[in-house]
Amino acid sequence: MCGIVTVLFLEMQLSVVSALFTVEVPQQLYVVEYGSNVTMECRFPVNGSLNLGLLSVVWEQKKQGRLLSKEVYTLRNGKPFPLSQHHDYIGRAALLHSELKRGRALLQITNIKITDAGSYLCLIEYQGADYKYITLEVKASYKRINKQIMRKSDEDQFVFMCQSEGFPLAEVFWQNEKKFNLSGSANTTYTLTADDLYNVTSVLTVRPNLSETYSCIFWNKELNEQTSAHISTLALMSTQYSGQKSLVLFIIPTCVIAAVLLSALIILQKRKSFKNCNAKKGRKRKLHHFFSVTGKININ
Ligand SMILES: *[C@@H]1O[C@H](CO)[C@@H](O)[C@H](O)[C@H]1NC(C)=O
Ligand SMILES: *[C@@H]1O[C@H](CO)[C@@H](O)[C@H](O)[C@H]1NC(C)=O
Ligand SMILES: *[C@@H]1O[C@H](CO)[C@@H](O)[C@H](O)[C@H]1NC(C)=O
Ligand SMILES: *[C@@H]1O[C@H](CO)[C@@H](O)[C@H](O)[C@H]1NC(C)=O
Ligand SMILES: *[C@@H]1O[C@H](CO)[C@@H](O)[C@H](O)[C@H]1NC(C)=O
């Protein structure tokens, strides 16, 4: 609250004395990697040696679409004023005091977060007052891509998965060795992590050709940055081989069982025809016997 009042007061003063004192920025835009450090600079005129007791510096962050700004760092009459610092910046923001005597108000922010992006106001009062805005953009490259291969148990299909975190949102493309675009068969989804990064997962389902390498490409459109990972089907050849092995393991017993059944059938058939033969012979004998008996009767 105090900080806001100070800023309003200084801004009021500013309209009176602006012509005499100007703040300058050597670099208007900073693009910073997530997790790294940044040092933003405002310059103000110092004639001779600096009288620190007369110097006040306020750094504030303002985000588009948000009414209130966050106080990043305040130096009032040469003394740090940490009470009004926004909790987002506690322990991460500092003014490099040694550079003040050269007329440089350097704000250092460490361990940059996605939420640090925005406009930064540096307001300086030193026998006069002025302010400027600096833009901070934060990017997070899709550096580490996690890969995974799965096999659809019921089908002849394989599932390739690539997952990575970054900012802003990336598009994911898939291609095979011949740079043939397979993105049409992919399903890309994302969630947000606790650190406001995009957690992007892309799943490609294909019936793969043997010994081919598939690539997933994360395209960070806003930064025009590409990262990629490669998945070789060689890695899943072993699973395919084990598939063939299990096929062999299935075929051999089937053949054995079929052979056993067949031979059993043949033996059974042979026995049957042998029995039939014997039965015919027996009947013939009986017939002979009958005739001989009847013959005897007839004769008698
Ligand atoms: C950021 O600054 C901190 C504190 O000064 C330091 O420990 C760290 O190594 C720096 N990180 C990078 C990436 O420069
Ligand atoms: C710096 O200070 C000296 C005397 O203190 C003065 O003569 C001179 O005009 C000042 N220069 C600027 C640029 O303010
Ligand atoms: C893509 O994946 C999500 C989550 O796994 C699922 O809900 C959605 O139906 C899938 N979309 C398509 C087109 O397969
Ligand atoms: C990102 O999503 C994957 C699932 O798609 C999950 O396993 C992983 O833990 C997530 N990572 C983070 C940092 O949220
Ligand atoms: C496999 O190769 C054929 C011929 O080269 C091609 O038409 C087909 O798209 C390929 N399939 C995959 C999944 O790469």
Side-chain angles (χ1 to χ4, degrees):
M1 208 52 210
C2 265
I4 292 162
V5 172
T6 310
V7 170
L8 287 177
F9 175 66
L10 286 174
E11 277 177 2
M12 261 153 57
Q13 266 194 329
L14 202 66
S15 49
V16 185
V17 292
S18 59
L20 308 167
F21 182 87
T22 53
V23 166
E24 276 162 21
V25 287
Q27 189 178 335
Q28 212 282 318
L29 172 70
Y30 292 78
V31 181
V32 184
E33 181 79 26
Y34 171 83
S36 70
N37 301 338
V38 68
T39 305
M40 294 184 282
E41 178 175 3
C42 276
R43 286 193 186 151
F44 60 97
V46 176
N47 190 3
S49 65
L50 177 77
N51 186 343
L52 196 60
L54 297 176
L55 177 68
S56 291
V57 177
V58 176
W59 280 94
E60 282 191 349
Q61 187 230 34
K62 186 139 176 44
K63 261 202 138 109
Q64 227 180 8
R66 204 181 48 209
L67 215 60
L68 286 177
S69 47
K70 292 178 189 170
E71 205 170 303
V72 183
Y73 192 94
T74 300
L75 185 85
R76 194 177 292 167
N77 299 322
K79 291 192 188 74
F81 197 79
L83 286 175
S84 54
Q85 186 176 46
H86 193 275
H87 56 81
D88 279 2
Y89 292 98
I90 290 173
R92 291 199 302 126
L95 192 69
L96 303 183
H97 284 245
S98 60
E99 289 298 310
L100 290 173
K101 59 179 178 287
R102 293 187 190 92
R104 300 170 80 201
L106 297 174
L107 175 73
Q108 187 188 57
I109 306 173
T110 58
N111 191 16
I112 286 289
K113 298 178 185 323
I114 298 299
T115 47
D116 290 342
S119 278
Y120 282 77
L121 165 89
C122 72
L123 190 150
I124 299 170
E125 188 197 13
Y126 185 66
Q127 300 166 313
D130 190 20
Y131 67 90
K132 285 283 175 331
Y133 281 102
I134 291 173
T135 304
L136 177 67
E137 282 178 11
V138 181
K139 64 162 186 169
S141 304
Y142 291 80
K143 271 186 288 208
R144 220 186 51 157
I145 301 174
N146 298 308
K147 308 175 284 183
Q148 208 178 319
I149 319 169
M150 287 163 285
R151 188 179 175 162
K152 280 200 170 176
S153 53
D154 52 333
E155 287 163 66
D156 192 20
Q157 286 187 325
F158 285 84
V159 178
F160 301 90
M161 195 188 85
C162 281
Q163 177 267 325
S164 187
E165 289 137 44
F167 189 91
L169 187 60
E171 286 181 38
V172 183
F173 298 98
W174 288 85
Q175 56 183 217
N176 64 8
E177 242 165 48
K178 293 161 202 137
K179 305 260 181 253
F180 189 80
N181 187 4
L182 303 166
S183 307
S185 315
N187 183 6
T188 304
T189 55
Y190 70 87
T191 55
L192 277 175
T193 71
D195 298 327
D196 298 301
L197 295 174
Y198 288 100
N199 185 356
V200 181
T201 303
S202 189
V203 175
L204 176 73
T205 308
V206 281
R207 191 167 279 115
N209 289 329
L210 292 182
S211 66
E212 252 198 328
T213 302
Y214 293 84
S215 305
C216 60
I217 300 149
F218 283 70
W219 183 40
N220 202 331
K221 196 153 82 180
E222 259 173 80
L223 307 168
N224 198 22
E225 196 177 71
Q226 274 190 13
T227 50
S228 60
H230 311 285
I231 305 178
S232 174
T233 48
L234 274 175
L236 51 91
M237 287 288 261
S238 56
T239 57
Q240 217 166 42
Y241 176 67
S242 76
Q244 278 169 1
K245 227 161 68 180
S246 69
L247 200 70
V248 166
L249 288 178
F250 170 75
I251 285 171
I252 289 173
T254 309
C255 286
V256 169
I257 289 167
V260 167
L261 280 175
L262 210 72
S263 44
L265 213 75
I266 288 166
I267 289 166
L268 220 76
Q269 205 74 35
K270 270 189 177 165
R271 268 200 198 162
K272 232 178 177 176
S273 58
F274 181 71
K275 258 189 189 164
N276 277 354
C277 228
N278 279 359
K280 267 181 198 163
K281 272 179 195 163
R283 221 181 295 151
K284 264 183 189 162
R285 230 179 266 145
K286 265 182 193 162
L287 226 61
H288 273 288
H289 185 69
F290 176 72
F291 278 124
S292 58
V293 170
T294 46
K296 261 183 195 165
I297 293 165
N298 282 345
I299 290 163
N300 289 336

